[in-house]
Amino acid sequence: DKGISNHHNLQSLFLSTNKIKTDHLTQLWDKIVLTFKEDLVIQALQIIEPKIQRIGITLNQYSPLIRLKLKDHPQPISLNIMGEGINKILTLAMFLVNVENGVLLIDEIETGLHYEAQIDMWKLLLNTAQKLNIQVFATTHSWDCISAFQSALQEMENISMGKLFRLQNKNDQIKAVEYDAEDL
C-alpha cells in the first residue's frame, strides 16, 4: 500500500522500490503546495541539481506532468529527463513531508541514488524527521549507504537520534543486532 493510512491517529507511509505514479506524487504535492514543506522538497531536489528553483505540476489530457524551473534556464524542464536520482529524491522528500508526526517506511533507500548523494540524502532525512517529528525506518543492503548514514549522523547535534539494526539469522531465528552512533 503506497497511500497514507491513519491507524489510531498515527499517520504512516510506505515507500517501496516500485516507481511511484505521477498521479500519486501530484496528490502529495497538493497537500504541501505553498507551505514551508514545498521549500523542503525543493531543498531536497537541490541535492542532485543545485540549480532547481521551483516545481510545477501541469495537468494535461493524459496525466500530470512535473516540471522544474532551473536557474539560468529560460524554460521549465520535464522531470522525466532528469534521471533516476532526482526522481528518487523527489519521491522520498514528498513522502517525508507528508507524514508529519508519523512513520515513514522506506524499502532499499539507496536504490537509484549515486553513493556521493547519499550523505546529503541522509542529512535531509535526519533533519526533516527531527523537524516534523517523523520516525523513519529504512532498509538497505549497501555498505556505502550505511557509511553515508553514519557520516550524516555524526554531523547531527543529537547523534543518538539514529540507529542501525542488522538482521541476523542464527539457528533459523532472525535477531536484530543494534548499533548506536558510537558503535557505528
Side-chain angles (χ1 to χ4, degrees):
D1 179 13
K2 295 181 193 116
I4 294 177
S5 59
N6 282 319
H7 299 292
H8 309 291
N9 295 325
L10 178 65
Q11 185 169 256
S12 64
L13 282 172
F14 173 68
L15 179 54
S16 73
T17 55
N18 299 331
K19 186 161 173 56
I20 305 301
K21 293 182 179 173
T22 305
D23 292 354
H24 190 69
L25 288 177
T26 301
Q27 291 169 7
L28 293 173
W29 181 254
D30 284 345
K31 294 178 181 186
I32 65 156
V33 71
L34 302 178
T35 71
F36 77 96
K37 292 178 181 181
E38 179 180 340
D39 297 332
L40 293 174
V41 171
I42 292 168
Q43 289 170 15
L45 292 174
Q46 290 169 342
I47 291 171
I48 305 293
E49 176 49 73
K51 293 181 180 181
I52 292 175
Q53 295 178 316
R54 294 178 52 204
I55 302 172
I57 298 180
T58 306
L59 297 175
N60 66 24
Q61 61 193 21
Y62 304 108
S63 68
L65 175 65
I66 300 175
R67 297 184 304 164
L68 305 170
K69 171 67 178 116
L70 275 63
K71 184 180 180 185
D72 302 328
H73 207 278
Q75 297 297 318
I77 301 174
S78 173
L79 178 73
N80 294 336
I81 66 168
M82 295 294 289
E84 186 65 29
I86 199 106
N87 279 289
K88 177 68 176 202
I89 288 288
L90 175 63
T91 303
L92 190 62
M94 294 279 267
F95 273 63
L96 187 63
V97 299
N98 273 283
V99 73
E100 185 172 3
N101 299 315
V103 176
L104 178 59
L105 306 168
I106 308 164
D107 190 25
E108 296 183 32
I109 192 166
E110 78 286 353
T111 302
L113 282 179
H114 192 273
Y115 71 92
E116 289 180 357
Q118 291 180 19
I119 293 174
D120 289 335
M121 178 268 305
W122 278 115
K123 287 180 194 174
L124 166 83
L125 267 174
L126 292 167
N127 286 317
T128 306
Q130 188 173 34
K131 191 179 297 181
L132 299 179
N133 188 35
I134 301 165
Q135 191 165 13
V136 177
F137 295 90
T139 66
T140 185
H141 295 101
S142 163
W143 184 252
D144 287 335
C145 190
I146 292 168
S147 295
F149 171 72
Q150 185 271 336
S151 294
L153 191 57
Q154 292 301 319
E155 292 185 30
M156 297 299 296
E157 192 172 303
N158 177 8
I159 63 171
S160 67
M161 71 178 291
K163 291 184 180 183
L164 170 74
F165 291 89
R166 181 177 52 85
L167 299 181
Q168 176 177 306
N169 188 347
K170 192 169 188 172
N171 301 327
D172 290 329
Q173 289 189 335
I174 306 284
K175 290 184 69 176
V177 179
E178 179 180 333
Y179 299 90
D180 63 18
E182 295 299 319
D183 295 333
L184 286 173

